[in-house]
Amino acid sequence: MAEVGIFVGTMYGNALLVAEEAETILGEMGHKATVYEDPELADWQKYQGQFALVVTSTTGQGDLPDSIVPLFQGLKDLGYQPEMRYGIIALGDSSYANFCGGGKLFDALLQEQSAKRVGDMLMIDAAEHPEPESESNPWVEHWGTLLG
């Protein structure tokens, strides 16, 4: 089965909760998943040719949480990575102008670097879903079936 690095950007713990649930679900499916709470470029590079799942919330200004900024900056310097396959779970609040901006930033960067997104990006609205794992768990179950 697949090896999956789960890279977390969280402010209040919701993204970490979603990531830990994803780790459990993927593990039950036979994948080897590992959560990185303060991810760095070296962690990401372990998964070249494998899979990355980015689970990030968004600040009120539409930016990435501080915990995932070092990884994002490192990836900007890394450049072209066509062998990377990834998924994104973005948490946000639709009452803010830049809804799920953190996840969208990550997706745009990885697309620019020719990484291949597996499945659609999941955007979870805190205004509608106060327990984000109720939305993310079914998505992760489906995403896990796409990891050939």
Side-chain angles (χ1 to χ4, degrees):
M1 297 308 273
E3 286 192 38
V4 182
I6 304 174
F7 302 92
V8 182
T10 195
M11 292 169 54
Y12 303 113
N14 281 340
L16 180 59
L17 173 67
V18 166
E20 288 171 342
E21 294 262 339
E23 179 182 39
T24 300
I25 291 167
L26 292 169
E28 289 170 353
M29 295 177 79
H31 300 299
K32 183 180 186 302
T34 305
V35 170
Y36 294 90
E37 194 172 343
D38 293 299
E40 297 178 359
L41 185 59
D43 300 321
W44 181 271
Q45 289 176 308
K46 294 177 199 170
Y47 293 91
Q48 292 298 328
Q50 298 290 329
F51 296 90
L53 178 58
V54 176
V55 182
T56 188
S57 56
T58 303
T59 69
Q61 302 303 312
D63 295 324
L64 291 162
D66 290 344
S67 65
I68 202 164
V69 167
L71 172 60
F72 186 79
Q73 294 298 336
L75 287 173
K76 283 173 98 171
D77 297 338
L78 187 62
Y80 191 60
Q81 49 178 340
E83 68 287 345
M84 180 54 84
R85 293 165 292 175
Y86 71 96
I88 294 188
I89 299 175
L91 285 73
D93 186 327
S94 61
S95 65
Y96 289 92
N98 296 306
F99 175 60
C100 288
K104 291 175 183 175
L105 283 171
F106 244 98
D107 187 48
L109 175 64
L110 294 172
Q111 288 288 305
E112 186 179 294
Q113 295 177 334
S114 297
K116 293 170 182 62
R117 188 176 65 226
V118 176
D120 293 326
M121 177 168 55
L122 175 64
M123 293 187 281
I124 302 174
D125 185 353
E128 290 183 27
H129 304 285
E131 295 180 352
E133 66 278 10
S134 67
E135 290 294 297
S136 63
N137 287 356
W139 183 93
V140 170
E141 288 172 13
H142 173 70
W143 191 75
T145 67
L146 304 175
L147 309 181

